[in-house]
């Protein structure tokens, strides 16, 4: 049973709740394969996409999810709004609230913004990525993809590679996977993979070849080259040398290992195109599953109640 | 929960289903154009049994689809935590087919209303016929079954409990009442 009214992060979810979302998402997959790709479950509900930070992929994924459940959808983008005229976050939200939506989907560059929104709005909140905190639907769609291909999340060795420090995707995935019997190893340049992550119950191995040994799941993270190069690692050339996923490196992992990436991918930076398009890559399955997971989340939270919150 | 009456046992359920299967055969001359759709959960197992009976007597295997009507319910905003969606599997094109929609107990008619909405989203069948094992009355919508195993007049306080081997270990229909 899933009784929550908001989805702020994976951290406070129990294993049963995660399983319930994934089971529901499994059923939602079928809707997207029909001729009429629509069910009336959320008819009459209004979903507001509040995107204070750009993200085409996540926004259209939530948009399709809402529409396939027959909800009405409003897209709000921070860059083209009154925010640029000096309106505060809270004023912006309260103006939209006055038009009676039902669910806010929020993406914001500040960690904690989804939590903050849920503290004063009377409507449901889904976190679509807040700063370096969490991106819960990404971890859920990763889990759904792994479960589809591997049958279960239990017993897997998972290696997460790249900019863990700034990655809400890595955090949400760690919070999710530690509910199952998994072994998680982080790898990347020292400044981007601080030892403190060990407190979350994961291992840290700076030698990527060693980290990959016997891995069932390889999760690559996006390198924001414009922001990181020269500060967190000396040069892109050096990053490629030590941390780029190449077909040779991939062979270190289990022969049936899956390669995941949250997108958008930087071909030739964190992974070579032979790997991105290779047989072990499930990057496009992740995109398909993203819509199903978001349908499941929108459906489940709209049945949630106030009193059981947080 | 108090048991008020045992209505059907395994033998009686089998006899009723056999009669219903024969009625389906009698009314649908072109069995090749006929398909069964069971409503989750017990309608699916009843549909399977009807399918096997027709296969045995007529040598034709009707296609069988599974319908989960959860996403089509009209009470989602009032039920509280949303029920688990187990998924719909219709492995054939419904367009032009004569569909036998199978459910266990016909009551308010709201489940059938949702099922009809769901089926027409998959295409335009030639006809949809409704088959139920039990009709317990108290309709809230203008819906009637084409094939009825047993008409069972009940009060609103009573509940019809249908058990099947596939889900509950034994076949049984009984009337229970909340205390």
């Amino acid at each position: 049973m899933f009784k929550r009214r908001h989805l702020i992060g994976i951290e406070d979810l129990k294993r049963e709740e995660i399983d319930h979302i994934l089971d529901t998402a499994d059923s939602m997959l079928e809707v997207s394969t029909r001729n009429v790709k629509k069910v009336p479950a959320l008819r009459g509900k209004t979903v507001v996409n509040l995107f204070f930070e750009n993200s085409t992929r996540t926004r259209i994924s939530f948009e399709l999810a809402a529409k396939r459940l027959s909800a009405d959808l409003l897209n709000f983008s921070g860059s083209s709004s009154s925010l640029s005229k000096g309106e505060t976050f809270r004023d912006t939200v309260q103006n939209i609230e006055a038009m009676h939506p039902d669910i806010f989907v929020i993406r914001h560059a500040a960690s904690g913004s989804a939590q903050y929104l849920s503290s004063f709005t009377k409507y449901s909140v889904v976190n679509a990525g807040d700063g370096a905190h969490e991106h819960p639907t990404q971890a859920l769609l990763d889990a759904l993809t792994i479960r589809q291909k591997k049958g279960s999340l239990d017993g897997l060795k998972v290696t997460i590679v790249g900019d863990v420090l700034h990655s809400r995707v890595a955090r949400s995935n760690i919070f999710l996977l530690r509910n199952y019997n998994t072994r998680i190893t982080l790898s990347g340049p020292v400044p981007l993979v601080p030892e403190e992550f060990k407190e979350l119950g994961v291992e840290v191995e700076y030698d990527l070849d060693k980290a990959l040994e016997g891995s069932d799941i390889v999760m690559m993270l996006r390198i924001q080259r414009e922001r990181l190069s020269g500060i967190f690692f000396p040069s892109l050339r050096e990053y490629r040398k030590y941390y780029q996923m190449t077909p040779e490196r991939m062979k270190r992992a289990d022969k049936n290992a899956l390669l995941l990436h949250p997108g958008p991918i930087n071909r030739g930076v964190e992974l070579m195109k032979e790997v991105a398009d290779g047989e072990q890559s499930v990057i496009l399955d992740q995109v398909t599953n993203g819509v199903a997971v978001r349908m499941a989340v929108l459906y489940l939270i709209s049945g949630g109640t106030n009193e059981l919150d947080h | 929960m108090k048991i008020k009456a045992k209505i059907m046992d395994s033998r009686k359920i089998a006899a009723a289903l056999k009669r219903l299967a024969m009625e389906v055969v009698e009314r649908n001359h072109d069995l090749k154009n006929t398909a069964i759709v069971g409503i989750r959960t017990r309608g699916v197992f009843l549909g399977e049994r009807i399918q096997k009976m027709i296969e045995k007597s007529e040598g034709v295997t009707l296609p069988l689809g599974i319908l989960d009507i959860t996403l089509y319910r009209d009470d989602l905003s009032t039920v509280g935590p949303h029920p688990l969606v187990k998924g719909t599997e219709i492995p054939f094109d419904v367009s032009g087919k004569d569909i036998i929609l199978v459910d266990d107990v016909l009551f308010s008619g709201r489940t059938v209303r949702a099922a009809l909405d769901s089926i027409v989203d998959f295409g335009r069948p030639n006809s949809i016929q409704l088959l139920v094992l039990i009709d317990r009355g108290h309709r809230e919508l203008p819906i009637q079954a084409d094939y009825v195993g047993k008409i069972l007049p009940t009060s609103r306080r009573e509940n019809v409990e249908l058990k099947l081997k596939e889900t509950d270990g034994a076949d049984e229909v009984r009337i229970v009442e909340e205390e």
Side-chain angles (χ1 to χ4, degrees), chain A residues 187-206:
Chain A
S187 190
V190 178
L192 292 177
V193 187
E195 295 262 345
E196 284 76 14
F197 273 91
K198 286 181 179 168
E199 288 166 25
L200 297 177
V202 301
E203 294 165 36
V204 173
E205 172 56 65
Y206 296 109

Side-chain angles (χ1 to χ4, degrees), chain A residues 11-161:
Chain A
E11 192 173 4
D12 52 345
L13 293 188
K14 294 188 189 70
R15 177 176 172 148
E16 302 82 66
E17 292 174 299
I18 296 167
D19 286 337
H20 193 88
I21 298 173
L22 298 180
D23 290 344
T24 307
D26 256 337
S27 303
M28 294 293 184
L29 277 170
E30 175 265 327
V31 175
S32 298
T33 65
R34 298 182 186 180
N35 281 332
V36 178
K37 300 179 186 59
K38 219 177 183 51
V39 290
L42 295 191
R43 195 172 51 192
K45 301 264 189 233
T46 304
V47 177
V48 179
N49 263 343
L50 278 178
F51 276 58
F52 294 97
E53 189 184 70
N54 285 330
S55 164
T56 309
R57 171 181 330 241
T58 307
R59 184 178 57 75
I60 62 173
S61 183
F62 268 108
E63 188 165 341
L64 270 183
K67 287 179 173 171
R68 288 189 180 160
L69 293 171
S70 301
D72 294 308
L73 182 110
L74 182 83
N75 270 315
F76 171 91
S77 131
S79 53
S80 61
S81 72
S82 305
L83 282 169
S84 52
K85 300 175 190 163
E87 193 180 48
T88 66
F89 173 77
R90 192 167 174 143
D91 283 336
T92 301
V93 169
Q94 282 175 337
N95 271 277
I96 297 172
E97 270 194 315
M99 299 183 237
H100 304 292
D102 297 283
I103 301 171
F104 284 117
V105 175
I106 180 175
R107 158 69 64 100
H108 199 290
S111 303
S113 47
Q115 177 71 48
Y116 172 59
L117 172 58
S118 73
S119 72
F120 67 83
T121 183
K122 59 177 186 283
Y123 302 114
S124 286
V125 176
V126 179
N127 184 2
D130 63 327
H133 174 229
E134 281 225 44
H135 191 352
T137 56
Q138 178 71 43
L140 289 163
L141 73 90
D142 289 346
L144 185 67
T145 308
I146 296 168
R147 211 174 74 159
Q148 264 169 13
K149 306 281 176 188
K150 294 282 180 190
S152 159
L153 294 168
D154 285 309
L156 298 176
K157 179 172 189 257
V158 183
T159 305
I160 304 177
V161 187

Side-chain angles (χ1 to χ4, degrees), chain A residues 171-187:
Chain A
R171 273 176 191 73
S172 288
N173 264 304
I174 293 168
F175 291 140
L176 190 149
L177 291 166
R178 68 181 185 183
N179 284 286
Y180 300 83
N181 174 26
T182 53
R183 202 178 133 201
I184 307 168
T185 308
L186 310 179
S187 190

Side-chain angles (χ1 to χ4, degrees), chain A residues 1 20 24 27-28 30 34 36 38-41 299 302-303, chain B residues 70-72 76 80-88 121-122:
Chain A
M1 199 59 83
H20 193 88
T24 307
S27 303
M28 294 293 184
E30 175 265 327
R34 298 182 186 180
V36 178
K38 219 177 183 51
V39 290
Y299 165 74
S302 56
Chain B
T70 313
L71 296 171
Y72 287 81
L76 276 179
H82 283 179
L84 183 62
V85 186
K86 294 188 186 125
T88 290
D121 274 358
F122 284 88

Side-chain angles (χ1 to χ4, degrees), chain B residues 72-90:
Chain B
Y72 287 81
R73 282 171 64 154
D74 58 7
D75 57 353
L76 276 179
S77 51
T78 56
V79 289
H82 283 179
L84 183 62
V85 186
K86 294 188 186 125
T88 290
E89 297 157 37
I90 310 249

